[in-house]
Amino acid sequence: GAQLNAGGRVNNQAGGTISGQTGLSISWASGAVTNAGKITGTSGDGVSIASGGSVMNGVGGVISGTRYGVSIAGGAATVTNAGTIRGTTDSVLFTGAGANSLTLRTGSSLIGKIVGSMAAGATNALILQGADKSANTFLNFNTLTKEGTAAWTLDGSSTFGTAKIAGGALQVGDTSHASALLVIDGALTNDSLLEVAGGEAHIVGAVSGSGSAAIGAGTLAFRSSFTENVAFT
């Protein structure tokens, strides 16, 4: 593998391979990783950053570890994925204080849970861009934001503090994922479309915005006030 002991940047281009007990380790200062090739942890993490930083896993990029796919501790962290991140325990793990964010783009594949930091002062944000679907479980995430004009489907079971649908559609479940569950513990700002196509969506806080909601199958439950157009399809 590769190890940087004073922080730094790594750009693993398409066709490149980094492999070792820990595929890539960056410590003592922040790190930045851009990957379009393969980074493999044969008996540890794929990418481990100890002092905060960023990972951009592009189209065709594969990061895998026998423990965590990507693990970032010690400070604010940003992970953007349009490739594959695989971890036996967790695909992505944040443990540092500060603002942590995970952005999923078209082509994203996460194999393993995604766990946000519970450190004092930490916040964890999930941002969905492009169009795709995820059957993952997201733990300890404060916010969920759906951006762009396309649709994202959440087929797993996750709870978020607040959510915003800025554009496109956020779909919960489908005919093959009738056990999908999305819980928003706080407020939902919906300026586009929330669709339940299977499973359940529970909105605990107030709902506002110029968007609408549609129920094709499953359950959409509101536990507070809302100003929405709801279509039963």
Side-chain angles (χ1 to χ4, degrees):
Q3 184 171 346
L4 281 67
N5 292 324
R9 307 179 67 90
V10 174
N11 185 357
N12 188 40
Q13 299 180 354
T17 298
I18 301 173
S19 180
Q21 180 174 340
T22 296
L24 173 60
S25 174
I26 304 177
S27 59
W28 293 106
S30 64
V33 178
T34 301
N35 180 58
K38 293 183 179 181
I39 302 176
T40 304
T42 57
S43 58
D45 302 344
V47 173
S48 175
I49 302 177
S51 298
S54 65
V55 174
M56 168 62 194
N57 191 44
V59 176
V62 178
I63 300 173
S64 62
T66 58
R67 189 174 63 157
Y68 307 123
V70 172
S71 172
I72 305 181
T78 300
V79 175
T80 302
N81 186 51
T84 298
I85 301 177
R86 178 187 298 109
T88 302
T89 303
D90 303 322
S91 57
V92 177
L93 173 68
F94 299 119
T95 58
N100 304 304
S101 68
L102 172 64
T103 299
L104 305 183
R105 295 177 175 172
T106 303
S108 172
S109 175
L110 299 175
I111 302 169
K113 300 187 305 298
I114 300 92
V115 181
S117 176
M118 296 184 70
T123 60
N124 306 288
L126 175 64
I127 302 167
L128 303 177
Q129 299 176 342
D132 220 311
K133 59 175 54 182
S134 169
N136 300 95
T137 297
F138 298 87
L139 299 174
N140 309 325
F141 273 75
N142 305 87
T143 62
L144 164 65
T145 304
K146 166 65 181 70
E147 299 178 346
T149 58
W152 257 91
T153 301
L154 296 179
D155 288 329
S157 178
S158 299
T159 298
F160 298 88
T162 62
K164 180 176 183 178
I165 305 173
L170 178 63
Q171 178 178 315
V172 179
D174 54 33
T175 55
S176 300
H177 298 86
S179 62
L181 175 64
L182 173 65
V183 178
I184 307 300
D185 270 339
L188 167 65
T189 302
N190 180 13
D191 289 322
S192 195
L193 173 64
L194 171 63
E195 180 178 3
V196 181
E200 300 181 15
H202 293 260
I203 315 301
V204 178
V207 180
S208 62
S210 58
S212 61
I215 304 171
T219 301
L220 174 58
F222 298 100
R223 303 186 198 177
S224 185
S225 62
F226 68 95
T227 304
E228 286 290 324
N229 298 313
V230 181
F232 298 88
T233 60

